Amino acid sequence: MIRISIDAMGGDHGPGATLPGLVRVVERRPDIRFVLFGREEIVRPVLDKLPRLKEVSEFVHCDVAVRMDDKPSQALRLGRWKSSMWRAIEAVKAGEADACVSAGNTGALMAMSKFCLRTMADIERPAIAAIWPTIRGESIVLDVGATIGADAQQLVDFAILGAAMANALFDIDQPTVGLLNVGVEEIKGQEEVKEAGRMLREAALETMRYQGFVEGDDIGKGTVDVVVTEGFAGNIALKSAEGTARQIGGYLREAMNRTLMARIGYLFARGAFARLREKMDVRKSNGGVFLGLKGIVVKSHGGADEEGFAAAVELGYEMVKSGLYEKTRSTLDLYHARKLSVPAVDAASRV
């Protein structure tokens, strides 16, 4: 059984979206179980109406719910040890759950996750990794909002974390990795990005294939399996892509309803439009994985509906089932062992 702890109070809609979303997951994943954390007077009335979910869930009352507008420091001060968000994360640390999912305040979730679970050795800052639909299938993009600004070593760490996730999720032995830049030429971009590129080329890790720099339009093309950037650019790219998908969807609906002939044409092309709508549904790609922690935490969009939250939970399920943590740990160990061996080789050559 895969056990997932749920911050039932998280998100714009709280239990009204999170719990019905879990019902959808149970229907598709019969080997899943949940530990729900939240305020009893709010969660119980919803849970009692969902007998299938109630059968596979344990509920734990929490006095405090982190608000969407709480600052991370405020959330830690008021919600540490007793909020639904903290308790859901703590369940992973205690071994009572294999992963945690929350649609709550991103800053608070990251702060609590770092404080409770701690980062893996040699990882200074975690990253949020998103699954990105592409022409080729799916890619991983990180960081999409956890770290604003990153030095070369942090970008290299993100590449290692993203490659491990691609290996676990897509079952690719050597995922291709690219650094997001303003051009593919080696002379372009910020010094941190160019230095990270040099470090990845010299590392020559067997767990990935570094392809060099990629540009913004390469993300949607699926040029590489893993796109690495810092959180400011990554978050803007993510929100821009989601907004563009909704914009195109709006244009199509407007065009299909404009004239009688357009409506008739739609009837003949219904199947094609259904497939297009499925591809452009941002709910299907909901969920960002916090990479670099000693445990699996998944962040759902705060405004996610039932289907969106279900997608985030299923992402956490897949990360557990594919052994994400173990693969990430072994890849990091390989890289840092190799890095530590380089000075000794250089010293020997000088002698």
Side-chain angles (χ1 to χ4, degrees):
M1 291 294 173
I2 304 295
R3 299 163 300 167
I4 309 290
S5 60
I6 303 293
D7 170 19
M9 305 301 296
D12 298 338
H13 310 295
T18 57
L19 299 193
L22 298 180
V23 175
R24 300 187 182 210
V25 178
V26 172
E27 292 170 351
R28 300 191 285 249
R29 314 282 185 176
D31 60 338
I32 200 167
R33 296 293 181 269
F34 299 109
V35 186
L36 311 176
F37 296 88
R39 292 171 57 184
E40 186 162 15
E41 70 274 16
I42 298 176
V43 175
R44 277 291 184 192
V46 181
L47 184 59
D48 288 341
K49 296 177 182 178
L50 304 170
R52 182 69 184 94
L53 175 61
K54 200 171 180 180
E55 287 176 9
V56 298
S57 300
E58 173 190 346
F59 174 70
V60 179
H61 169 71
C62 303
D63 294 323
V64 177
V66 175
R67 295 175 301 184
M68 296 299 285
D69 58 351
D70 282 345
K71 293 180 179 179
S73 57
Q74 183 182 16
L76 269 173
R77 186 172 66 255
L78 300 177
R80 186 179 168 193
W81 312 119
K82 53 188 176 182
S83 68
S84 58
M85 181 180 287
W86 177 277
R87 295 289 302 277
I89 299 167
E90 193 175 40
V92 176
K93 182 179 181 179
E96 298 165 0
D98 301 302
C100 164
V101 182
S102 174
N105 181 319
T106 303
L109 184 64
M110 177 58 77
M112 287 188 177
S113 297
K114 285 180 65 176
F115 198 94
C116 183
L117 297 175
R118 306 295 182 184
T119 57
M120 293 179 174
D122 303 310
I123 293 294
E124 183 179 346
R125 299 182 187 178
I128 302 178
I131 309 297
W132 203 290
T134 71
I135 294 173
R136 290 176 53 239
E138 289 181 322
S139 294
I140 292 168
V141 180
L142 74 164
D143 175 28
V144 293
T147 299
I148 305 302
D151 61 27
Q153 183 58 61
Q154 287 162 356
L155 290 172
V156 171
D157 289 340
F158 292 170
I160 294 169
L161 295 172
M165 180 172 170
N167 173 263
L169 187 62
F170 304 145
D171 197 25
I172 304 173
D173 289 334
Q174 285 188 306
T176 54
V177 176
L179 287 170
L180 188 63
N181 203 352
V182 294
V184 297
E185 297 84 358
E186 294 297 327
I187 60 170
K188 289 188 175 180
Q190 296 177 317
E191 289 303 319
E192 294 85 353
V193 177
K194 291 190 283 187
E195 176 65 10
R198 181 193 65 77
M199 293 169 69
L200 285 169
R201 282 194 302 273
E202 292 179 358
L205 290 171
E206 295 87 352
T207 54
M208 70 172 78
R209 284 184 291 140
Y210 175 60
Q211 300 283 82
F213 297 150
V214 295
E215 298 182 83
D217 60 341
D218 287 311
I219 302 177
K221 291 177 184 176
T223 303
V224 291
D225 300 309
V226 181
V227 177
V228 177
T229 185
E230 53 81 37
F232 186 84
N235 190 266
I236 290 175
L238 177 67
K239 298 295 175 58
S240 297
E242 291 174 347
T244 301
R246 293 189 181 97
Q247 181 182 4
I248 294 173
Y251 285 162
L252 285 172
R253 284 191 296 272
E254 181 184 355
M256 289 301 99
N257 288 307
R258 183 168 294 173
T259 65
L260 176 61
M261 289 302 296
R263 288 194 288 272
I264 294 172
Y266 170 76
L267 292 176
F268 285 103
R270 241 181 338 196
F273 279 111
R275 288 191 294 273
L276 177 62
R277 185 166 54 249
E278 180 78 10
K279 283 282 189 182
M280 292 175 58
D281 189 350
V282 297
R283 300 177 304 169
K284 303 294 184 182
S285 302
N286 180 41
V289 184
F290 287 5
L291 297 180
L293 298 169
K294 294 179 181 178
I296 297 174
V297 177
V298 177
K299 169 67 174 72
S300 167
H301 282 307
D305 62 6
E306 299 173 17
E307 187 59 43
F309 191 75
V313 174
E314 288 184 298
L315 177 60
Y317 171 95
E318 292 295 340
M319 294 296 91
V320 174
K321 197 136 190 173
S322 58
L324 171 66
Y325 178 80
E326 294 77 11
K327 291 179 179 179
T328 303
R329 180 67 273 165
S330 63
T331 305
L332 283 170
D333 288 344
L334 174 65
Y335 170 74
H336 287 288
R338 180 170 298 180
K339 189 172 71 168
L340 288 172
S341 70
V342 170
V345 173
D346 289 346
S349 65
R350 284 196 297 272
V351 173

